[in-house]
Amino acid sequence: MHEYTRTIRVWGLTCPGFPEEVSRARRWTRDILRGPLADDAELIVSELSANAILHTASGHQSDSFYLTIAVAPQVITLSVTDDGGTGTAPKVEHQDEEAEHGRGLDMVSAIAHKVVVHESDEGHTVTAALYTGAGLGANRADE
């Protein structure tokens, strides 16, 4: 085991609510995570960041969103917190193949082992967990 994964490590990044910040969040995620789950993590961060900019005050009022990556031996968690401003919280919706919108969180839930949405007065935090398999006895391919 690598010396930096023996304990929980946490990184945070605040991004202005501009569309080009999605690619910055992806690169930042890729720089932190290396290994078999990096591609999945990058895709999840891309979708959650884009949702924050497109569907909340994080993008509409030139505010920001906050990305957190936590790495532990058993799990990687990716959280994006937005500035709220919507009447409803993000939710996973299973859309048909012809739907043009609303499939992003469904895709995230298909990739991640767990997706949780927290709502507060200040905004929403969507957290996706990717189990590393270390100490769990299984990986996603075995489930």
Side-chain angles (χ1 to χ4, degrees), residues 23-90:
S23 61
R24 177 178 171 221
R26 277 196 315 263
R27 283 190 311 273
W28 186 75
T29 300
R30 175 62 73 182
D31 288 345
I32 291 170
L33 300 175
R34 303 193 189 275
L37 296 176
D39 289 339
D40 289 346
E42 186 178 7
L43 182 59
I44 289 168
V45 164
S46 180
E47 183 59 37
L48 297 182
S49 299
N51 282 352
I53 290 171
L54 292 172
H55 303 297
T56 73
S58 292
H60 298 288
Q61 298 172 358
S62 296
D63 285 332
S64 58
F65 65 94
Y66 188 73
L67 171 59
T68 304
I69 298 175
V71 178
Q74 296 87 11
V75 65
I76 296 169
T77 59
L78 310 154
S79 298
V80 172
T81 301
D82 63 45
D83 284 337
T86 61
T88 60

